[in-house]
Amino acid sequence: MALPAASARAQCLLRFRGRSPLPRLPLPLPSPPATTRAASRRRGVRMASSDASAAAPPSATVEVPGAAAPVLVVGAPGLPEADFRNAVESSLFKQWLRNLQSEKGVLTYGRLSLTRVLIQGVDTFGKRVGFLKFKADIVDEETKTKVPGIVFARGPAVAVLILLESKGETYAVLTEQVRVPVGKFLLELPAGMLDDEKGDFVGTAVREVEEETGIKLNIEDMVDLTALLDPATGGRMLPSPGGCDEEIGLFLYRGRVDEETIRSLQGKETGLRDHGELIKLRVVPYSQLWRSTGDAKALSAIALYEMAKREGLLPHPPSANL
């Protein structure tokens, strides 16, 4: 979590250059009501008009502490004005700006500078921006060359390693579901994205497990494996930082069950079908898990679990049955 001082430095003033469809008038238009001006100030957005043609892409300037000058943010040709504004005002974009100025941020040491951002695509889940694709022009001041700056922003997520002991054998519960980007069905840990800006990782983990597996877990029985990392890491797992901002909190649950529970979970169909989730559960012996999946979440959770167990950092497993 960012310190209050860092959050204050990360506040951005956005000045949108809108385009008015009205013809130019000989008299100035009346000022907006005081309530409208006050609301704009609260949002940190100052609206303005320009003579730009209707074909010009939407744009804004962003004051970023640590940047040499106000940063120009533009929309790709054809990007709707509403999508552009939602993108610039989204928690995904604001968090990325905060990251630039964090302890190990790109702009912290003065060698790199941000000059321009191109918003290329926006996907919304209801009213919330879920996925954001943009390109950032970041320049090395020593060599005057650009560093790779293509960003797929999707924000924080969680995954849970569920280990169930039955008759002296430990099993892991996985989901098998279609993953269109790789064109395959994959075995993965139960996982999901955070739905809001509250940062409730453990609550989201419990909720996602119930939605994807039908298993109801108690929050007090969850172990945050990524919290065992050095604070300098941010306490999260970054699966693909070369192109995606996603940070994942990995959790552990251990419980005891009977053989019938294991049989009932194997092949069970779950998921929110109205959200496009086509999920089957797979239960595999934990000893075989590391070679049963290529899921980065699962492999990372195994590594954290084994290292934490070796160093005696894990609490005793709960004695109650699932």
Side-chain angles (χ1 to χ4, degrees):
M1 179 178 298
L3 296 174
S7 298
R9 291 196 301 270
Q11 297 301 314
C12 301
L13 177 62
L14 312 180
R15 298 192 296 276
F16 285 99
R17 297 204 295 268
R19 300 183 302 279
S20 172
L22 298 175
R24 295 181 63 83
L25 300 177
L27 297 176
L29 294 174
S31 300
T35 54
T36 302
R37 293 197 302 271
S40 294
R41 285 195 297 270
R42 285 195 299 271
R43 292 193 300 268
V45 178
R46 188 166 66 199
M47 308 299 295
S49 61
S50 73
D51 296 328
S53 68
S59 64
T61 54
V62 181
E63 299 284 353
V64 182
V71 177
L72 176 65
V73 183
V74 298
L79 184 71
E81 177 88 19
D83 283 355
F84 174 78
R85 297 190 184 201
N86 287 338
V88 175
E89 294 178 353
S90 69
S91 60
L92 292 177
F93 190 66
K94 291 177 179 178
Q95 182 59 54
W96 179 75
L97 292 175
R98 286 193 289 268
N99 290 344
L100 294 178
Q101 305 153 68
S102 62
E103 183 179 352
K104 293 189 175 182
V106 166
L107 303 182
T108 301
Y109 302 105
R111 175 170 177 173
L112 301 175
S113 62
L114 172 65
T115 59
R116 181 176 179 269
V117 177
L118 174 66
I119 305 294
Q120 298 171 311
V122 183
D123 288 293
T124 58
F125 302 159
K127 295 182 179 180
R128 181 174 65 89
V129 174
F131 297 147
L132 178 60
K133 169 74 161 48
F134 60 91
K135 183 177 181 180
D137 290 342
I138 295 181
V139 178
D140 184 331
E141 292 297 334
E142 287 189 10
T143 64
K144 301 303 179 183
T145 58
K146 291 183 181 179
V147 299
I150 295 176
V151 181
F152 171 50
R154 57 172 294 164
V158 296
V160 186
L161 175 61
I162 302 175
L163 300 181
L164 303 179
E165 183 182 335
S166 179
K167 294 289 186 178
E169 180 78 71
T170 300
Y171 298 89
V173 180
L174 303 175
T175 63
E176 182 181 57
Q177 55 186 312
V178 62
R179 291 306 191 190
V180 174
V182 295
K184 298 178 182 180
F185 283 88
L186 292 182
L187 287 177
E188 305 178 28
L189 295 187
M193 299 168 59
L194 268 67
D195 293 331
D196 52 42
E197 301 178 47
K198 297 178 181 178
D200 183 10
F201 280 81
V202 65
T204 301
V206 170
R207 184 173 64 253
E208 289 295 336
V209 166
E210 183 171 358
E211 290 178 357
E212 293 196 353
T213 71
I215 299 174
K216 296 183 179 181
L217 304 181
N218 295 320
I219 288 180
E220 56 267 24
D221 295 331
M222 304 289 282
V223 178
D224 188 345
L225 293 173
T226 40
L228 301 176
L229 297 172
D230 190 292
T233 67
R236 298 285 178 250
M237 188 270 285
L238 306 175
S240 188
C244 183
D245 75 328
E246 183 178 31
E247 56 176 29
I248 301 178
L250 296 173
F251 291 84
L252 167 70
Y253 173 83
R254 294 170 293 174
R256 296 187 178 93
V257 297
D258 54 30
E259 291 179 289
E260 178 57 32
T261 299
I262 297 295
R263 285 193 294 267
S264 67
L265 290 173
Q266 190 69 266
K268 179 181 178 181
E269 294 187 353
T270 64
L272 301 177
R273 295 305 174 96
D274 56 339
H275 289 189
E277 294 180 346
L278 306 175
I279 298 173
K280 281 189 177 181
L281 299 187
R282 301 298 183 194
V283 182
V284 302
Y286 173 69
S287 60
Q288 299 176 17
L289 177 60
W290 71 275
R291 60 177 62 186
S292 300
T293 175
D295 177 33
K297 301 183 296 297
L299 298 176
S300 298
I302 292 169
L304 291 176
Y305 172 62
E306 291 295 333
M307 294 301 294
K309 185 168 60 173
R310 190 178 77 175
E311 296 189 15
L313 300 177
L314 296 176
H316 293 294
S319 58
N321 294 333
L322 181 65

